[in-house]
Amino acid sequence: MPTTLLHSIQRLYTCDDNETILDDAWILVEGNVIKALGQGPVDPAMRADKMLDLTGAIVTPGLINIHHHFFQSITKALPFVQKSFVLDWLLKLYPLWVEIGPDEMVAATQVAAAELLLSGGTTSVDHSYMVPGADFDILRAQVETCRDIGLRLHLVVGSMPTLEGNLEEQLKPVIGDKIHRLIDPVERVYETMRRSARAFHDASAGSMTKVAFGPVGVTYTLPDMMRDISALAADYGCGLHTHLHPRPDEREKASTHLRSDPVAYLKASKWMKPGTWFAHCSQLTDDEMKVFADNGVGIAHCAHTIARLGFPLTRISAMRRYGVAVGIGVDGCASNDSGSILHDLRLALILHRIGTPLGTDTQEAWLSPYDALLMATRDGARIIGRNDIGRISVGCAADIAAFRLDRVGYAGSWGDPLSALLLAGCDPYAHLTMVNGAVVVWNGRLVNADETAIISKASQATRRIIDRAS
Ligand SMILES: [Zn+2]
């Protein structure tokens, strides 16, 4: 099997259970697996097919993004949704998204994957709830595009069995019969989930493609659906994922339709278990956080979306104090406008501090740069049900990121290179990104794809859906 030696690493953050950090370190990769690692000069007898000199770089496990919507990567920074709360934002964007077909999904997935890889991301969840007309080729396009560019994918096969609030009534006059391409009949949702699991889900160690299930949000008005999806996920060994805050209107729906509250309903529907994770959770009560912790349920914190859409500040310190596993998500590029995981990691590190000590948080409970790194590596891996990634340990898949700190933005920092990367830096690029033993980014550039072609294809796709919607 081919071997690669990463050597002369300034500082290596392994994120293993012993919190091992090594200076002047090296890592030997054989095939797709980490074979050995150590400290100090490399034994001259140790040769590899490929030698990568990482002088002046810090190295971390590849970053893991646990919430995204790839399709949104061709609808960034649109002028008419720059000042919208979530329901107004959705109302204005659905007429564009309903026009997405397989070609647009290839373009969007290339952008999403490229941004993640270039910022040190090696694994991503894609919560793919927008599959107009239940076109299976849209899902296939995502999987094949990720495979070609070299990104490890957790595809959450989603659906929109209902729309949020009264969006259905508001959208009908705007998009007419196309509403049927947006809203999925329940049986069709289940069939798409079964078909996707059979086609794409690989449960083996080092798997490059796994499947999870999850509608766009909790289906309070279709009370059996959450339980049915949980049962389907159990049948195929897949995880569960969706959005949850819960906002006041979610609590009211749960009360009106179910005579329950959102978290109790999810528990009754067999969603509160390891392998389930929710995006946001910006409005959980303390008691609900304890239920998450007791049941091993994870949370994807998407700092840019929280700020961009004006959600309440997520109480990260409280969640961690109760023992809830929290990871990092970039979320879709219509509520972030960037798909860089490094960008979101930097914001997550400081966003939750706003307002302290007005809440229950204290400065002692704030995240440290190392805490934030763990959220994007070891904790993220655990949340999505993996123990073969998220750390640099012998036997783990070789998912590795390296960042050089010889840019002027880092000048003047001292004492801890990780703090420099996450607090001082504005450079968005990884020097190296390795996924499953393959170098996919080197010297801040994609290895398997032409960035100019990706930009051109995305621009054309954006133009097409705007023209069709017009
Ligand atoms: Zn989302």
Side-chain angles (χ1 to χ4, degrees):
M1 268 190 281
T3 52
T4 305
L5 183 66
L6 290 68
H7 65 89
S8 309
I9 298 165
Q10 179 186 336
R11 184 164 291 181
L12 168 60
Y13 298 85
T14 67
C15 299
D16 67 10
D17 290 335
N18 298 319
E19 319 297 356
T20 305
I21 297 172
L22 303 173
D23 287 338
D24 187 19
W26 54 267
I27 305 168
L28 180 65
V29 174
E30 185 178 270
N32 68 332
V33 169
I34 295 167
K35 187 75 175 172
L37 57 101
Q39 193 169 18
V42 175
D43 183 342
M46 187 189 293
R47 300 301 303 172
D49 301 314
K50 190 185 289 181
M51 305 284 281
L52 298 178
D53 185 345
L54 293 174
T55 301
I58 67 169
V59 167
T60 70
L63 305 179
I64 298 171
N65 170 41
I66 66 168
H67 186 66
H68 205 328
H69 311 290
F70 287 177
F71 69 89
Q72 295 182 10
S73 299
I74 52 171
T75 54
K76 287 180 181 174
L78 297 173
F80 53 89
V81 285
Q82 288 179 2
K83 294 204 292 184
S84 295
F85 284 127
V86 64
L87 293 182
D88 182 51
W89 175 84
L90 288 169
L91 179 65
K92 290 171 177 166
L93 284 168
Y94 277 139
L96 290 186
W97 293 340
V98 75
E99 303 295 345
I100 288 173
D103 289 347
E104 289 72 32
M105 189 57 94
V106 170
T109 302
Q110 284 183 342
V111 172
E115 285 197 279
L116 288 163
L117 294 172
L118 287 167
S119 58
T122 50
T123 296
S124 184
V125 166
D126 181 27
H127 186 197
S128 187
Y129 64 82
M130 176 61 61
V131 187
D135 184 347
F136 195 73
D137 285 342
I138 290 177
L139 296 167
R140 191 187 307 282
Q142 290 172 263
V143 172
E144 291 179 352
T145 302
C146 287
R147 191 180 59 209
D148 291 346
I149 201 166
L151 179 72
R152 200 183 292 279
L153 174 67
H154 276 231
L155 179 68
V156 180
V157 178
S159 63
M160 294 211 300
T162 60
L163 297 185
E164 303 212 25
N166 64 349
L167 284 178
E168 185 172 343
E169 288 149 48
Q170 292 186 76
L171 270 172
K172 272 181 187 162
V174 181
I175 63 172
D177 283 348
K178 288 178 184 169
I179 197 89
H180 301 303
R181 287 174 53 78
L182 275 186
I183 301 175
D184 301 310
V186 169
E187 276 311 316
R188 194 168 72 183
V189 172
Y190 298 159
E191 181 47 38
T192 302
M193 288 175 173
R194 281 191 284 263
R195 189 177 173 191
S196 301
R198 288 195 298 266
F200 308 129
H201 185 59
D202 172 7
S204 64
S207 165
M208 287 294 287
T209 311
K210 290 199 176 195
V211 169
F213 298 150
V216 63
V218 179
T219 59
Y220 302 106
T221 56
L222 296 168
D224 296 339
M225 190 167 191
M226 299 305 280
R227 190 196 55 217
D228 291 347
I229 290 175
S230 174
L232 266 183
D235 286 348
Y236 289 96
C238 297
L240 293 165
H241 177 56
T242 190
H243 296 102
L244 178 74
H245 284 279
R247 297 183 307 264
D249 66 290
E250 290 179 79
R251 293 189 186 280
E252 191 182 321
K253 267 189 185 171
S255 173
T256 304
H257 294 280
L258 307 166
R259 299 193 185 288
S260 182
D261 63 77
V263 173
Y265 165 57
L266 286 164
K267 196 161 190 338
S269 302
K270 298 191 172 6
W271 271 61
M272 301 304 286
K273 60 185 180 183
T276 297
W277 71 106
F278 294 93
H280 307 314
C281 297
S282 63
Q283 293 167 66
L284 289 183
T285 65
D286 286 60
D287 285 343
E288 288 169 341
M289 290 180 198
K290 289 177 198 165
V291 173
F292 271 58
D294 291 346
N295 290 277
V297 176
I299 290 172
H301 177 49
C302 310
H304 273 90
T305 288
I306 293 292
R308 170 76 151 83
L309 293 181
F311 290 130
L313 205 56
T314 312
R315 297 173 56 215
I316 301 299
S317 301
M319 291 171 176
R320 288 166 53 86
R321 191 170 61 245
Y322 290 123
V324 183
V326 184
I328 299 291
V330 303
D331 209 347
C333 286
S335 64
N336 181 338
D337 306 293
S338 163
S340 162
I341 181 133
L342 189 56
H343 198 41
D344 251 89
L345 188 50
R346 287 170 170 154
L347 185 60
L349 171 57
I350 54 174
L351 184 73
H352 68 288
R353 302 177 182 191
I354 293 174
T356 309
L358 290 177
T360 55
D361 293 347
T362 63
Q363 65 179 19
E364 287 73 25
W366 286 349
L367 296 174
S368 69
Y370 186 68
D371 291 333
L373 178 64
L374 289 182
M375 287 167 67
T377 55
R378 192 172 76 202
D379 296 347
R382 181 158 54 96
I383 289 168
I384 62 173
R386 298 192 73 137
N387 58 12
D388 56 341
I389 57 173
R391 66 189 74 207
I392 295 177
S393 298
V394 172
C396 282
D399 286 9
I400 297 169
F403 304 90
R404 294 183 68 102
L405 301 181
D406 54 356
R407 306 296 298 266
V408 72
Y410 301 112
S413 57
W414 179 85
D416 177 19
L418 182 64
S419 299
L421 178 71
L422 297 184
L423 286 168
C426 57
D427 178 11
Y429 295 112
H431 177 64
L432 160 79
T433 306
M434 174 180 276
V435 184
N436 217 34
V439 175
V440 291
V441 169
W442 179 247
N443 205 17
R445 308 293 295 184
L446 292 173
V447 171
N448 298 329
D450 176 351
E451 289 174 37
T452 306
I454 290 173
I455 295 164
S456 171
K457 188 180 274 195
S459 300
Q460 290 168 27
T462 304
R463 185 78 258 167
R464 271 200 308 278
I465 61 172
I466 288 175
D467 287 348
R468 287 179 199 156
S470 299

